[in-house]
Amino acid sequence: MDDQAHAARTIWNCLHDWWTMLPKEKRSLGAADAAIRQARKEIDWLAALPAQAAQAVLKTYFQAWKNCWDGRADAPNFKARFRSAMSVDIPQGRDLNITRVHRRWGMVNIPKIGRVRFRWTRNLPVGKHANTHNRITGSRLVKDALGWHIAFRVQALEPKPEPHAGPEVGIDVGVSLPLALSDGDTKAHGAWLTAKERAKLLRLEQRAAHRKTFRKPGERTSNRLQAAYDQIQGLRARAKRRHLDWQHRTTTEIAAKYSVIVVEDLAITNMVKSAKGTVESPGNNVAQKSGLNRSISEEAWGRTVELLTYKTARNGGTLHKVPAPGTSQRCSACGFTTPGSRESQAVFVCKNPDCGWSGNADHNAAQNVLHLYRMGLALIPAAGRAVVRRASRVKPATAR
């Protein structure tokens, strides 16, 4: 599997170089297909990747450019060996030949590898349960620090969802309180690692830092240091998996309850920029800003919004984004925006002498987020950017 993943990554990089160097009039899907076939014949270790998986790399690369031209993503780039996830695509479901051994395990056929046992975690349309409208169309092998995993692509016929009849809600994301809802509900979580696992992680990081001092500049990483790095990545991957599980459960609950979900349009990339500055003008509170950046990245706000987007549409609801500036400083009771009203991370006190309302700062921000939507200030993406729309509410979209 490692050999196939490295071959797939190399084909992607060679295809990217071929695409960027050729003139526009010579770029075509047929020419790229011929180049891949020739490379697999001339380079022996590229033949470790099945021909169908190589074709899947080509289709994925062209789809990446289409997404870039449509403004949905950035341009595809080079995949580095140590910074990209190892993965192999199996585009045809009929080659998998999936069988269920018993309740917890199943067997799947992987091209050029053979029969492999996998953990059965979800119901799959195999055997008598498979038909034209509910069948497996392919799979993807992905490797992380915990090992290899297989994800199956399932084609299913779902009924068109009815319009959701639930209430509207605004959501404010944060660090100390992950999700605060405008109706007073909160969605929080604890530490992703236990106390014993956190102590082990600290011990491994100290061990890796100590072993790194013995490595000379330009010298390859020793086996001991690499073993420490692997254990650290394993613990972090376990924490990431627990976080993703919490996000899925929380977003599923929210999407099933509310018909309209309103979130802030946050520029997260700008929020996590370093405050180090330059030599001429060094930044202030660099250590504190670095810790805040790590906390923001760990919460993965963008992934939460992505999960809410498709789950809300699947349930017959809609998700909208509103401008973020001023939502944490505006008083939801009187509507005045005064500097310094948020006295702490959790307490909001209105500085308007005629109001003086006080309450939870996160819930106040969530109510302001919902207020902006009701005022018709929803942001609608257009050609890769967001524009303010002052109009009536958008009808619920249907899931495809």
Side-chain angles (χ1 to χ4, degrees):
M1 290 185 184
D2 289 348
D3 294 340
Q4 290 191 15
H6 286 305
R9 181 184 58 84
T10 304
I11 289 178
W12 172 283
N13 292 334
C14 293
L15 184 62
H16 181 64
D17 291 340
W18 174 88
W19 176 272
T20 53
M21 288 189 298
L22 279 183
K24 292 183 178 181
E25 59 273 8
K26 294 185 179 181
R27 299 173 183 171
S28 64
L29 189 62
D33 186 19
I36 290 178
R37 292 176 184 271
Q38 182 180 358
R40 294 183 72 252
K41 291 180 180 179
E42 296 178 353
I43 305 175
D44 296 337
W45 55 272
L46 285 183
L49 185 68
Q52 296 175 353
Q55 296 297 320
V57 174
L58 176 60
K59 293 180 181 179
T60 305
Y61 183 78
F62 270 76
Q63 184 61 42
W65 275 112
K66 290 180 181 178
N67 295 337
C68 175
W69 296 331
D70 295 339
R72 297 192 300 267
D74 295 332
N77 51 20
F78 181 85
K79 287 190 175 182
R81 181 183 180 90
F82 297 104
R83 293 195 302 270
S84 58
M86 298 179 64
S87 61
V88 180
D89 195 88
I90 305 176
Q92 295 186 358
R94 64 172 181 267
D95 298 334
L96 298 174
N97 193 17
I98 302 172
T99 57
R100 188 164 189 172
V101 179
H102 53 77
R103 184 174 62 89
R104 302 184 68 178
W105 293 96
M107 297 288 291
V108 62
N109 183 59
I110 298 178
K112 292 197 174 185
I113 294 178
R115 301 292 289 172
V116 178
R117 188 176 67 168
F118 67 95
R119 182 70 177 269
W120 198 287
T121 57
R122 293 192 62 180
N123 293 328
L124 295 174
V126 296
K128 62 180 182 180
H129 301 288
N131 52 53
T132 307
H133 302 296
N134 190 21
R135 59 191 178 90
I136 295 176
T137 60
S139 65
R140 188 173 183 81
L141 298 166
V142 182
K143 186 181 182 180
D144 62 6
L146 299 178
W148 279 96
H149 312 277
I150 186 168
F152 298 99
R153 288 190 295 271
V154 179
Q155 176 183 328
L157 184 63
E158 296 184 357
K160 182 179 179 180
E162 297 292 334
H164 202 297
E168 301 173 347
V169 67
I171 299 179
D172 176 69
V173 295
V175 175
S176 59
L177 184 60
L179 297 178
L181 279 62
S182 58
D183 58 359
D185 193 8
T186 58
K187 305 296 180 183
H189 58 75
W192 303 122
L193 296 176
T194 63
K196 188 175 181 180
E197 291 172 337
R198 292 196 298 271
K200 182 180 179 180
L201 178 61
L202 178 61
R203 185 168 62 252
L204 289 172
E205 289 175 343
Q206 293 174 346
R207 183 183 304 172
H210 174 70
R211 291 175 178 175
K212 189 177 180 180
T213 58
F214 297 97
R215 189 179 66 177
K216 298 179 181 179
E219 188 179 6
R220 67 177 295 272
T221 304
S222 64
N223 293 334
R224 286 189 173 186
L225 180 57
Q226 189 61 47
Y229 284 156
D230 293 341
Q231 295 182 62
I232 291 173
Q233 291 178 359
L235 287 173
R236 291 177 177 173
R238 188 177 303 174
K240 180 180 179 180
R241 185 175 298 181
R242 292 171 181 171
H243 185 196
L244 183 60
D245 177 72
W246 177 84
Q247 282 185 310
H248 271 289
R249 294 177 183 272
T250 304
T251 53
T252 299
E253 180 184 352
I254 294 175
K257 184 177 180 181
Y258 301 99
S259 61
V260 176
I261 300 176
V262 189
V263 297
E264 295 175 297
D265 184 38
L266 298 174
I268 302 176
T269 304
N270 298 333
M271 296 175 63
V272 296
K273 285 186 177 179
S274 175
K276 187 180 299 184
T278 61
V279 178
E280 294 78 10
S281 58
N284 299 323
N285 300 326
V286 178
Q288 293 85 340
K289 184 62 168 64
S290 177
L292 178 61
N293 293 346
R294 285 195 300 269
S295 300
I296 294 175
S297 300
E298 289 174 357
E299 289 300 329
W301 296 338
R303 187 169 60 196
T304 301
V305 175
E306 289 180 0
L307 297 178
L308 281 174
T309 301
Y310 81 84
K311 291 183 180 182
T312 304
R314 181 180 295 176
N315 287 272
T318 54
L319 182 137
H320 301 274
K321 293 183 179 181
V322 296
T327 55
S328 60
Q329 297 180 352
R330 178 184 179 276
C331 177
S332 59
C334 64
F336 277 83
T337 302
T338 53
S341 296
R342 190 160 184 168
E343 295 187 348
S344 65
Q345 187 66 26
V347 179
F348 180 92
V349 178
C350 182
K351 299 301 182 180
N352 183 12
D354 298 332
C355 179
W357 179 85
S358 63
N360 185 276
D362 297 314
H363 291 305
N364 176 74
Q367 292 174 2
N368 291 329
V369 169
L370 181 60
H371 171 76
L372 291 177
Y373 165 74
R374 290 175 174 173
M375 293 294 293
L377 296 177
L379 295 175
I380 298 179
R385 58 187 178 86
V387 295
V388 179
R389 179 188 180 212
R390 296 177 178 268
S392 59
R393 301 174 191 174
V394 181
K395 294 182 181 180
T398 57
R400 294 184 178 180

